Amino acid sequence: RVQVAESGGGLVQAGGSLTLTCTASGLTDEEPVMGWFRQAPGKEREGVSCINWSGDSIYYSDSMKGRFTISRDNAKNTLYLQMNSLKPDDTAMYYCAVAELYDYCSGSWWLDANWGQGTQVTVSS
């Protein structure tokens, strides 16, 4: 079965940077769509960014554009999220989602995704 594991969260001051990593294993489809979501206390989970296998379908939430960069290493089934200029509003649990049999970051791909347990990002002011 597919297993997803995130790492790289932590405590950082406003304006700082963090890089999150997500590793997927047990895949039967070697070209899954992968993405990041986050959930802050008392708020709904929201999409952060998504990338397909070939990298020609990439999505960023408007509030992350220009600050966050998503990338992946297909040989390692690993996904990254470089987060710069972090703000206290970025404080949340960040989750990685991996969806097999999807080719693009479109539609509701996350509904068929496998999820990790999350990694906490806390940005202090």
Side-chain angles (χ1 to χ4, degrees):
R1 65 183 177 90
V2 177
Q3 292 184 308
V4 179
E6 306 95 337
S7 63
L11 174 64
V12 64
Q13 289 186 333
S17 299
L18 279 176
T19 300
L20 304 184
T21 300
C22 167
T23 301
S25 60
L27 296 169
T28 55
D29 172 17
E30 295 184 351
E31 302 180 359
V33 165
M34 303 178 77
W36 292 97
F37 291 74
R38 70 184 187 184
Q39 187 167 19
K43 295 186 178 180
E44 294 187 353
R45 187 173 296 189
E46 64 172 334
V48 173
S49 185
C50 170
I51 185 171
N52 69 341
W53 184 85
S54 61
D56 61 1
S57 176
I58 295 177
Y59 162 84
Y60 291 102
S61 175
D62 286 344
S63 63
M64 291 81 170
K65 287 180 180 177
R67 300 190 299 123
F68 292 6
T69 302
I70 193 170
S71 61
R72 61 190 290 170
D73 183 335
N74 291 329
K76 298 179 180 179
N77 287 328
T78 299
L79 178 72
Y80 304 97
L81 185 69
Q82 173 67 44
M83 305 185 294
N84 298 325
S85 302
L86 283 163
K87 307 173 183 179
D89 285 348
D90 294 317
T91 295
M93 185 71 80
Y94 284 71
Y95 297 91
C96 177
V98 179
E100 299 182 281
L101 305 179
Y102 279 80
D103 295 324
Y104 301 101
C105 293
S106 61
S108 302
W109 64 270
W110 59 86
L111 295 178
D112 295 317
N114 294 280
W115 294 81
Q117 294 299 308
T119 185
Q120 178 67 39
V121 172
T122 303
V123 184
S124 62
S125 57

